[in-house]
Amino acid sequence: MTKVYPNTTPSPVAVLESSPITTGGVSDGKMTKVYPSTGISIPSPVASPTDGKAAVITVWKKSLLFNCNGFTVFDAKGNLIFRVDNYLSGNKGEIVLMDAEGKPLLTIRRKRLCLGDCWLVYDGETAVNPRFSVKKNVNPLNSKSLAYVTGSCGGKGRKHDKLYEMEGSYAQRCCAVYDDKRRRVAEIKRKETTEKGVAFGVDVFRLVVQQELELTDAMAFVILLDQMFGTGRFSGFSQR
């Protein structure tokens, strides 16, 4: 079993507060901390790095709330920075990315009357002028491509311009995001541990984000890849 120590409690309602949180990692019987810090703190608003270095964050495919599916995301210091808490009986066509205090940052909605698997990403909880749209690749001639991101009215780029493309295997947690200049701006990688005989599995992984891409947008891509290619009740699409 693998132990996760968040630095902050995400909500006063129905939250696991009293005991260390564990994932389903496989080990030789030891309990391994993802982050050793246990102090309670609320980090400052999340921003993409400006010093030329990539941001490396840890993504845990689990909500800290009971009866929810989602994600819990930590920065390099172990601070909770993002949350996704979707109630099992809630609206499966809408997903909200929040900061550590529960403030909505992005809302992801499935696009209606669209051929294929297509989603729109909005600022906050708005329902107009989406930032961009993300569509699952269905072209069998381009098997390495998972999905692509296009501009939308009121958002990045011109409408229908391709902004990013995601390639690789989400099921193996080995993906890359490329911009329109074919620069690698983000990567999904397996989370490594220094302890012998310990494995985190696919539910805990790293997200490496270059300064050209906003962290919130990168997390939106992760959420949508999980919707398109993940397994379990939080998603129901085929693996790749």
Side-chain angles (χ1 to χ4, degrees), residues 7-8 40 48 55 59 66 72 77 98 104 129-130 144 162 184 187 194 199 204-205 215 219 234:
N7 274 0
T8 181
I40 302 300
S48 297
V59 182
F66 291 110
T72 304
K77 296 180 180 180
M98 299 176 288
N129 298 327
K144 68 178 181 179
K162 184 183 289 188
R184 185 178 297 181
E187 293 179 86
T194 58
V204 179
F205 54 93
L215 285 178
M219 264 311 301
F234 190 53

Side-chain angles (χ1 to χ4, degrees), residues 7-239:
N7 274 0
T8 181
T9 302
S11 171
V13 181
V15 183
L16 302 174
E17 296 176 336
S18 58
S19 60
I21 305 163
T22 59
T23 69
V26 179
S27 72
D28 56 0
K30 298 180 180 179
M31 298 294 289
T32 304
K33 298 177 184 178
V34 173
Y35 286 109
S37 178
T38 58
I40 302 300
S41 65
I42 297 292
S44 58
V46 179
S48 297
T50 58
D51 56 2
K53 297 180 180 179
V56 181
I57 60 180
T58 296
V59 182
W60 184 23
K61 190 174 177 286
K62 183 176 179 64
S63 169
L64 296 183
L65 301 185
F66 291 110
N67 297 320
C68 285
N69 282 322
F71 291 91
T72 304
V73 186
F74 306 95
D75 66 12
K77 296 180 180 180
N79 294 310
L80 176 64
I81 55 173
F82 296 130
R83 298 163 43 199
V84 175
D85 303 314
N86 267 33
Y87 288 96
L88 298 182
S89 60
N91 182 4
K92 300 298 180 62
E94 180 175 297
I95 302 168
V96 179
L97 174 67
M98 299 176 288
D99 66 10
E101 296 178 288
K103 177 184 177 181
L105 302 174
L106 297 175
T107 298
I108 303 169
R109 297 184 176 93
R110 186 185 292 274
K111 189 175 182 180
R112 299 178 180 178
L113 304 177
C114 178
L115 295 176
D117 199 2
C118 186
W119 298 73
L120 296 173
V121 180
Y122 298 83
D123 285 313
E125 293 182 290
T126 62
V128 294
N129 298 327
R131 290 171 58 83
F132 50 80
S133 64
V134 182
K135 188 172 184 179
K136 182 179 181 180
N137 175 50
V138 294
N139 182 0
L141 300 179
N142 188 11
S143 59
K144 68 178 181 179
S145 178
L146 299 175
Y148 54 90
V149 183
T150 57
S152 189
C153 56
K156 294 186 172 184
R158 293 182 300 175
K159 191 174 182 179
H160 305 309
D161 280 354
K162 184 183 289 188
L163 303 176
Y164 303 101
E165 186 168 10
M166 291 167 261
E167 299 180 355
S169 171
Y170 179 74
Q172 299 299 319
R173 301 303 188 263
C174 182
C175 305
V177 180
Y178 297 92
D179 66 9
D180 57 346
K181 298 178 181 179
R182 288 299 295 176
R183 296 177 300 183
R184 185 178 297 181
V185 294
E187 293 179 86
I188 295 173
K189 297 181 176 182
R190 290 285 188 98
K191 177 77 174 180
E192 300 170 354
T193 177
T194 58
E195 293 197 26
K196 185 177 180 181
V198 178
F200 286 111
V202 296
D203 284 347
V204 179
F205 54 93
R206 290 192 302 158
L207 177 61
V208 183
V209 185
Q210 303 297 329
Q211 63 178 347
E212 292 85 4
L213 181 64
E214 294 183 29
L215 285 178
T216 51
D217 290 345
M219 264 311 301
F221 298 162
V222 169
I223 294 167
L224 287 171
L225 285 174
D226 192 73
Q227 287 298 295
M228 296 173 184
F229 303 103
T231 58
R233 285 178 291 181
F234 190 53
S235 55
F237 300 94
S238 61
Q239 293 185 356

